[in-house]
Amino acid sequence: MFTPETRNGLYQLFGRWCSLGRHAEAGREAQVRMISMVVDQIKDPGERDAMALVLEGERRLLERSALRAMAVLCRSCGPTASVDAEKAGAELGGEPGGPREKAMLFAWVSDALSSSDLHVQRIGQHAVMWTIMADVKDAAMMRVVIQLAYGITVAGSINNGFAPSEIKVGSANTSGLGLVFGSNEGKRQADVALTLSSDQVMLGYLHALTCVLSPSPLSAKASAASRSLSLTYVDLVLPLVLFHLHSERRRVRRQALVLLRGLCMHAAADVCRARVDKLGPSIVSDIPAIALGAVERLGVAVARALAMHTGSVIEEAVRQVHAQGVLDARRGVLRRLVRPWLANVELESARFTSDDAMWGLDPVGLSRDSVRVLRCMLFLTVRTGQEGLLSMQQLWLALVERPEGRAANLWLIVRHLTGLLAGAWSTALLGFARRICVFLSRSSQGAQLVRLLIDVATRPNATMPIDMRLVDVDASD
């Protein structure tokens, strides 16, 4: 075993030799200078050309060997190194310059995955797999890999730290109001102009995740490790899989199906796995209408089979809506994949405990999980423009429409909105609350909604401090 200092030194040395990542340009220039120094000493033109070819072959062999060595060092960098990195306080995660420093690691891995050399691509995939398996408890590393599998570049993946639980409502938290309720400055900060990696790089990360999370037929130990990882990160991976099933490219859909089948095997969801096998041929069809219809049916089946993950899947999908920045097409896909999961939501009244006040529960009487779901729905409503109003309406209707009825959900949604309005004087909040009520009025329970609103507005104890300036605010403001 290497000491941390030796391992980091070797890793940085190989990083300069491999000519990929952050040292790519400097390493390549140094190699070219060394080759030129040797070739310039040969007078005969024929010998000079022959020597140049030999040295170029040696240079490529050195690059590939350095890549293999870096991947192996990623494999040997386990939990102890992660603890050392945490103590070091590296800004980008991992020991500075070490195998677990995310910026350096994923810079050269992404370059390797974009290579036209299949062998180099496989080295990059193995580096990702070995890095994850070296410390399965490193959730930050796993989250970055998942972001890269969405096709977001390295910088956007590492700097993304938003969580739906950070959504706050109330005059005491202006940052939350700015992010959620219409502050233009907050929207500009949230809508980061992200760039996307190539399909080849994204598929490389997706393939690495598939290998890590799928059962291994060759090793029981590897299968046990992949099962543990799958059950730990299923809430993060499910939205990724469902997102890629909506892809226009068959290769991406096929890879997502393989990953979903592995997750279903680990989660003992036999019904879900059977649906994957049945709908798989249609999902990879060349005809878009057939593929999309099969994906929608599979999404419903997955939501029913894995209903215990509903709240976490919705939260992760909403977090990705924030992470995708101004990429409206991607946010539309994320809204579509959320809809089947909302059919599992049963909003509940709160049973208050001593720590509920610290968590931020309002006197609207909703349980913690119910408030989390409604916060996510509010965030989606705010971040949806005019082009996505129909899909947003379908999401709200999914909360109150069901064969067995959703009267309780409708009543608790109204209570939550009125509670927010009572605690926050916000023009934008009133506009979005009105928009949500318009959505809900188009459900089969529209008449009941009107009665609920009249009941809330006419109760003696329901007086709210609403500024008169809010009366004529349009919901589109």
Side-chain angles (χ1 to χ4, degrees):
M1 291 292 291
F2 295 123
T3 64
E5 293 77 12
T6 302
R7 181 181 58 244
N8 290 357
L10 289 173
Y11 188 78
Q12 294 175 33
L13 174 64
F14 297 146
R16 294 184 180 92
W17 287 354
C18 75
S19 299
L20 295 179
R22 64 168 63 168
H23 301 300
E25 186 175 351
R28 195 172 292 111
E29 289 178 354
Q31 293 171 5
V32 169
R33 284 198 303 270
M34 287 189 292
I35 292 175
S36 298
M37 290 174 57
V38 174
V39 171
D40 290 344
Q41 297 177 10
I42 302 176
K43 304 300 183 181
D44 183 80
E47 292 183 6
R48 184 185 305 159
D49 292 342
M51 179 59 67
L53 289 175
V54 171
L55 292 177
E56 179 63 20
E58 294 292 331
R59 184 189 69 81
R60 293 180 179 178
L61 181 61
L62 176 64
E63 287 183 352
R64 186 171 296 183
S65 299
L67 279 176
R68 290 197 200 97
M70 293 178 75
V72 171
L73 288 175
C74 292
R75 188 176 190 175
S76 65
C77 190
T80 302
S82 298
V83 173
D84 295 339
E86 185 176 349
K87 292 179 180 178
E91 181 179 356
L92 294 179
E95 300 163 277
R100 300 194 76 83
E101 182 190 333
K102 300 181 183 67
M104 181 176 180
L105 169 66
F106 293 115
W108 73 262
V109 168
S110 295
D111 287 348
L113 294 176
S114 64
S115 171
S116 58
D117 189 332
L118 184 59
H119 187 74
V120 173
Q121 293 179 31
R122 289 175 177 170
I123 293 176
Q125 292 173 7
H126 278 86
V128 176
M129 295 160 53
W130 289 339
T131 299
I132 295 174
M133 297 303 293
D135 186 1
V136 296
K137 296 182 180 180
D138 191 349
M141 183 70 72
M142 188 68 172
R143 184 172 283 280
V144 173
V145 174
I146 290 173
Q147 290 301 115
L148 291 165
Y150 275 101
I152 299 176
T153 54
V154 175
S157 300
I158 293 177
N159 296 327
N160 178 13
F162 170 80
S165 58
E166 297 170 5
I167 302 174
K168 305 291 184 182
V169 178
S171 57
N173 191 317
T174 55
S175 62
L177 285 169
L179 177 64
V180 177
F181 294 125
S183 165
N184 291 330
E185 183 63 28
K187 287 186 177 181
R188 281 196 295 269
Q189 293 174 0
D191 286 333
V192 181
L194 296 178
T195 55
L196 299 180
S197 59
S198 66
D199 289 345
Q200 181 173 311
V201 174
M202 180 267 293
L203 270 171
Y205 284 109
L206 191 61
H207 184 270
L209 277 175
T210 304
C211 294
V212 169
L213 299 177
S214 298
S216 172
L218 303 178
S219 170
K221 184 178 180 180
S223 293
S226 67
R227 174 180 172 79
S228 176
L229 275 170
S230 296
L231 297 180
T232 301
Y233 298 109
V234 62
D235 299 333
L236 303 182
V237 179
L238 269 176
L240 170 69
V241 172
L242 297 172
F243 176 84
H244 283 309
L245 286 177
H246 287 83
S247 173
E248 297 177 355
R249 291 168 290 279
R250 294 179 63 193
R251 289 179 60 197
V252 178
R253 297 198 300 270
R254 185 180 294 110
Q255 190 65 53
L257 279 173
V258 176
L259 179 51
L260 178 58
R261 195 175 192 281
L263 291 176
C264 292
M265 292 177 66
H266 287 310
D270 294 335
V271 176
C272 179
R273 186 173 56 182
R275 294 293 289 175
V276 171
D277 294 338
K278 181 178 180 179
L279 295 173
S282 298
I283 290 175
V284 296
S285 170
D286 287 329
I287 304 175
I290 293 177
L292 181 59
V295 168
E296 297 291 344
R297 294 195 298 274
L298 181 59
V300 173
V302 171
R304 290 175 179 173
L306 302 174
M308 70 290 294
H309 301 286
T310 295
S312 299
V313 169
I314 292 175
E315 277 197 337
E316 174 62 15
V318 172
R319 198 187 72 85
Q320 290 302 327
V321 169
H322 174 82
Q324 303 298 333
V326 294
L327 306 173
D328 292 332
R330 289 178 154 233
R331 294 196 294 195
V333 172
L334 289 164
R335 286 195 300 269
R336 288 202 301 272
L337 71 86
V338 164
R339 185 180 178 186
W341 297 89
L342 292 174
N344 299 329
V345 174
E346 293 285 353
L347 300 179
E348 299 175 341
S349 298
R351 295 181 179 178
F352 288 97
T353 60
S354 58
D355 62 353
D356 282 338
M358 296 178 60
W359 194 81
L361 288 182
D362 299 314
V364 295
L366 288 180
S367 66
R368 179 176 304 184
D369 291 339
S370 298
V371 172
R372 288 167 62 190
V373 171
L374 289 181
R375 280 180 174 176
C376 291
M377 291 293 291
L378 280 170
F379 185 83
L380 286 176
T381 303
V382 172
R383 298 301 299 275
T384 300
Q386 294 294 326
E387 73 286 346
L389 287 183
L390 180 58
S391 64
M392 200 64 239
Q393 175 179 297
Q394 292 172 344
L395 293 186
W396 281 104
L397 294 183
L399 273 177
V400 297
E401 295 278 23
R402 199 177 178 182
E404 51 267 38
R406 284 300 188 65
N409 278 6
L410 180 65
W411 167 230
L412 291 175
I413 291 172
V414 171
R415 288 178 65 187
H416 187 66
L417 292 176
T418 54
L420 295 183
L421 288 171
W425 285 32
S426 170
T427 302
L429 173 56
L430 178 60
F432 287 116
R434 289 170 58 182
R435 177 177 292 177
I436 293 169
C437 288
V438 170
F439 291 157
L440 297 176
S441 69
R442 293 167 181 164
S443 70
S444 60
Q445 303 181 50
Q448 185 175 359
L449 172 66
V450 174
R451 289 195 296 270
L452 287 175
L453 293 176
I454 293 174
D455 178 62
V456 169
T458 55
R459 286 185 178 182
N461 61 348
T463 303
M464 296 181 293
I466 300 178
D467 194 321
M468 291 302 296
R469 292 173 298 174
L470 307 185
V471 172
D472 295 325
V473 174
D474 186 78
S476 62
D477 288 347

